[in-house]
């Protein structure tokens, strides 16, 4: 395309018009995701008299943890399906439609967990199709050599994520107040419907991006894929049916079993890569071993960070005076603090990393993130102790989320960059998806930590998790020199790019 043509073409903040289509789709999808996330745990724990499911807070925390974990886990097969079967454009379209159906299922005003379970399952499947592929489409809007413009485009795209994440808890939380849960779920469905509508209307601006799979299956491979998928679904459904028929099924045990499976996934994957016959060089093996350290550190970080929509949400509901500047807010609105701080501090941290340059390595940034997440739970322990005498100011949670954002902006932007750097050549594409498995493991294990609250006081619970993060951070710092050698880092700028909230 000539520069004269580019000048005449309508743009979106100086970017291709297709970015506006993807920006809007992602914003509304995140609206639906964060809106549901802001009320899901409290809905599950609310009494049937208040329209909830009547679960304990510990069980609700475990289930929400597994739900979040599966959302990130299915990004891997979702990317594969787009690349080999549907193409990214259709994967996003079908993913958004399935997500919308999931929210509609949850919005059905009946007091049974069946529609809730169906709704969550559909949202998991749909998000697996939409989330990894819409980001890939953003990258494909630009020529290969247009790195600067692409980076700016992604920054605008991620602004959509945070706008959706900021607005959703306020709107959905207000609609769902006083037991109007299904109205809140319905708002999430409407949000996804709006995203789908503008995605379909904006298709011409995508100019064929994502129309075809990158490596389409042959007819024989396609038949094998369909057969394998149906077989897997039948096996899983059959196993669940047998378990339920045995009379031993309960949600706590189910969540525990799923947590074990999720934790085993990366163990098996890393063993497969390290010990399989993949012609890895010795340097690649050493770098992968260094990456495992960072993977574990990230999982510990997310284990604590992603307790926001469960443990911290329950604390807001039960222990705080929900008033900001004299205005009453809902407990769900506290989930907007995080994306608000993300939007404020992204440019600050971008400038900080540029100023520090190559002096701070990826392991050091990860260690700092762990110390920040630990500090946030030390603050929570102090808040919990103060709350023993009655409700406390919600400003305690504002401080907690502020500290946590400092940690996220030190870890999240570095993750994909260092993953790409340390991945063996034969596994570059797969390993980018493996980074999100760290989030999955953290979410699953974090959901299980609520069991500790049966044996520990609230302050002790928060301090225990803080201590785990501190130990992990100290271990990482102690190993910085060794990891630097293993990573062949030599102070190059791994992950020093502009941080952004990429979830």
């Amino acid at each position: 395309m000539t520069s004269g043509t580019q000048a005449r073409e309508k743009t979106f903040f100086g970017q291709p018009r297709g970015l506006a289509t993807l920006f809007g789709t992602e914003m509304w999808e995140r609206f639906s995701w964060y809106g549901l996330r802001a009320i899901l745990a409290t809905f599950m724990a609310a009494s049937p008299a208040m329209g909830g499911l009547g679960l304990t807070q510990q069980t609700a925390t475990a289930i929400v943890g597994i739900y979040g974990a599966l959302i990130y886990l299915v990004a891997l097969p979702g990317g594969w399906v787009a690349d080999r079967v549907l193409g990214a454009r259709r994967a996003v379209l079908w993913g958004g439609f399935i997500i919308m159906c999931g929210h509609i299922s949850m919005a059905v005003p009946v007091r049974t967990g069946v529609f809730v379970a169906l709704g969550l399952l559909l949202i998991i499947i749909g998000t697996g199709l939409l989330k990894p592929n819409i980001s890939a489409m953003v990258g494909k809007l630009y020529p290969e050599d247009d790195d600067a413009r692409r980076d700016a485009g992604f920054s605008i795209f991620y602004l959509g994520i945070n706008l959706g994440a900021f607005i959703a808890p306020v709107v959905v939380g207000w609609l769902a107040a006083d037991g109007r849960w299904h109205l809140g779920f319905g708002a999430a469905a409407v949000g996804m419907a709006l995203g789908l509508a503008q995605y379909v209307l904006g298709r011409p601006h995508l100019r064929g991006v994502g129309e075809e799979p990158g490596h389409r299956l042959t007819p024989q491979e396609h038949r094998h894929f369909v057969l394998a998928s149906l077989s897997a679904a039948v096996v899983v459904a059959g196993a669940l049916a047998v378990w339920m028929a045995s009379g031993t099924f309960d949600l706590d045990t189910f969540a525990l079993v799923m947590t074990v499976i999720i934790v085993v996934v990366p163990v098996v994957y890393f063993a497969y890569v390290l010990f399989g016959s993949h012609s890895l060089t010795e340097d690649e093996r050493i770098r992968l071993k260094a990456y495992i350290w960072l993977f574990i550190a990230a999982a510990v970080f997310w284990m604590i960070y992603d307790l926001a929509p469960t443990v911290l949400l329950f604390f807001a509901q039960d222990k705080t005076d929900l008033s900001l500047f004299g205005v009453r807010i809902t407990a769900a609105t506290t989930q907007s603090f995080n994306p608000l701080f993300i939007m404020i501090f992204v440019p600050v941290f971008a400038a900080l990393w540029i100023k520090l340059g190559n002096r701070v390595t990826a392991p050091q940034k990860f260690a700092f993130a762990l110390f920040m997440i630990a500090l946030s739970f030390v603050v929570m322990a102090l808040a919990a102790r103060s709350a023993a005498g009655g409700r406390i100011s919600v400003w305690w949670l504002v401080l907690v989320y502020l500290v946590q954002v400092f940690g996220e902006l030190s870890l999240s932007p570095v993750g994909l960059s260092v993953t790409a750097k340390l991945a063996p050549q034969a596994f570059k594409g797969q390993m980018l998806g493996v980074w999100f498995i760290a989030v999955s493991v953290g979410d699953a294990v974090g959901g299980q930590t609520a069991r500790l609250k049966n044996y520990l006081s609230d302050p002790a619970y928060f301090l225990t998790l803080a201590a785990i993060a501190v130990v992990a951070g100290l271990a990482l710092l102690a190993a910085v020199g060794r990891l630097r050698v293993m990573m062949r880092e030599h102070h190059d700028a791994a992950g020093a790019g502009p941080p952004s909230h990429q979830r």
Side-chain angles (χ1 to χ4, degrees):
M1 181 182 291
T2 66
S3 58
T5 303
Q6 285 181 329
R8 291 191 300 272
E9 180 189 16
K10 291 183 179 180
T11 61
F12 177 67
F13 293 105
Q15 303 295 322
R17 283 290 300 278
L19 181 64
T21 298
L22 301 178
F23 174 97
T25 305
E26 180 72 351
M27 183 186 74
W28 285 113
E29 186 274 331
R30 290 292 89 182
F31 174 92
S32 69
W33 157 251
Y34 281 100
L36 171 65
R37 187 176 185 257
I39 64 173
L40 182 59
T42 45
F43 160 71
M44 288 182 168
S47 68
M50 287 298 296
L53 297 184
L55 305 180
T56 66
Q57 290 190 1
Q58 287 78 13
T59 300
T61 298
I63 294 300
V64 173
I66 292 300
Y67 167 65
L70 291 176
I71 286 287
Y72 290 102
L73 196 63
V74 296
L76 276 175
W80 186 90
V81 167
D83 192 43
R84 305 302 301 273
V85 181
L86 292 176
R89 189 191 66 78
R90 279 183 289 274
V92 170
L93 179 64
W94 280 106
F97 178 75
I98 294 170
I99 290 169
M100 183 184 68
C101 290
H103 288 297
I104 291 173
S105 177
M106 296 195 66
V108 175
V110 295
R111 296 186 179 182
T112 173
V114 174
F115 284 100
V116 175
L118 175 62
L120 294 180
L121 177 61
L122 290 174
I123 293 168
I124 289 168
I125 294 170
T127 306
L129 286 172
L130 185 147
K131 188 63 180 159
N133 296 307
I134 194 168
S135 297
M137 290 176 69
V138 172
K140 292 176 181 177
L141 290 173
Y142 303 86
E144 287 290 333
D145 58 350
D146 200 356
D147 291 340
R149 199 158 173 248
R150 184 186 299 106
D151 288 348
F154 268 107
S155 295
I156 295 171
F157 178 71
Y158 291 130
L159 175 63
I161 292 176
N162 289 290
L163 282 175
F166 172 70
I167 296 168
V170 178
V171 174
V172 174
W174 174 70
L175 289 172
D178 301 321
R180 300 188 302 267
W181 306 107
H182 300 287
L183 190 59
F185 298 143
V190 170
M192 191 66 256
L194 290 173
L196 276 174
Q198 66 87 46
Y199 181 69
V200 172
L201 293 174
R203 177 185 173 184
H205 300 305
L206 297 176
R207 300 194 168 181
V209 167
E211 288 285 349
E212 295 296 328
H215 306 281
R216 186 185 292 276
L217 295 178
T218 65
Q220 183 178 7
E221 289 174 332
H222 190 273
R223 286 193 296 272
H224 289 163
F225 165 70
V226 172
L227 182 61
S229 299
L230 290 175
S231 299
V234 169
V235 168
V236 171
L240 281 174
V242 170
W243 189 4
M244 290 179 177
S246 71
T248 60
F249 178 89
D250 66 79
L251 289 175
D252 284 313
T253 306
F254 171 76
L256 182 58
V257 169
M258 290 301 300
T259 298
V260 172
I261 292 172
I262 290 167
V263 170
V264 166
V265 168
V267 174
V268 171
Y269 182 83
F270 285 128
Y272 166 74
V273 175
L274 279 172
F275 304 116
S277 55
H278 308 298
S279 302
L280 267 63
T281 66
E282 187 59 28
D283 278 352
E284 286 179 326
R285 292 184 190 278
I286 292 172
R287 285 195 293 269
L288 185 60
K289 290 176 182 178
Y291 178 74
I292 292 173
W293 279 71
L294 300 179
F295 181 93
I296 294 170
V300 172
F301 177 87
W302 298 119
M303 176 186 76
I304 299 174
Y305 186 90
D306 277 349
L307 289 174
T310 50
V311 173
L312 299 193
L313 181 62
F314 287 129
F315 187 88
Q317 174 186 262
D318 301 333
K319 303 293 179 65
T320 69
D321 176 19
L322 291 167
S323 176
L324 279 175
F325 303 109
V327 178
R328 298 297 299 174
I329 63 173
T330 65
T333 299
T334 61
Q335 299 295 290
S336 290
F337 298 162
N338 173 279
L340 175 62
F341 287 137
I342 289 285
M343 289 187 285
I344 293 172
F345 286 100
V346 157
V348 175
F349 271 75
L352 176 64
W353 295 140
I354 292 172
K355 184 175 179 62
L356 291 174
N358 301 336
R359 288 171 289 174
V360 181
T361 66
Q364 288 170 323
K365 291 176 182 177
F366 274 53
F368 176 77
L370 287 166
F371 293 144
M372 287 296 97
I373 202 70
L375 177 59
S376 75
F377 265 38
V378 171
V379 175
M380 278 303 305
L382 295 173
R385 180 169 295 178
S386 299
R391 289 184 178 268
I392 60 172
S393 171
V394 76
W395 285 101
W396 280 96
L397 285 176
V398 173
L399 177 59
V400 168
Y401 284 116
L402 176 63
V403 174
Q404 288 192 350
V405 161
F406 293 162
E408 183 187 3
L409 292 178
S410 302
L411 180 141
S412 187
V414 185
L416 285 172
S417 176
V418 78
T419 299
K421 175 184 176 181
L422 299 179
Q425 190 61 40
F427 294 90
K428 285 284 186 187
Q430 293 178 31
M431 285 288 289
L432 291 174
V434 169
W435 166 249
F436 291 106
I437 296 182
V439 186
S440 184
V441 170
D443 282 8
V445 175
Q448 292 300 315
T449 65
R451 295 173 183 261
L452 296 174
K453 292 169 73 70
N454 293 324
Y455 310 100
L456 301 174
S457 66
D458 279 355
Y461 167 77
F462 291 122
L463 287 176
T464 297
L465 294 186
I468 292 172
V470 167
V471 170
L474 290 174
L476 206 53
L477 277 185
V480 162
R482 180 184 173 196
L483 289 174
R484 185 181 299 157
V485 173
M486 295 171 71
M487 295 166 64
R488 304 291 192 267
E489 192 163 75
H490 302 305
H491 288 296
D492 59 3
S500 50
H501 190 215
Q502 301 184 16
R503 299 202 304 147

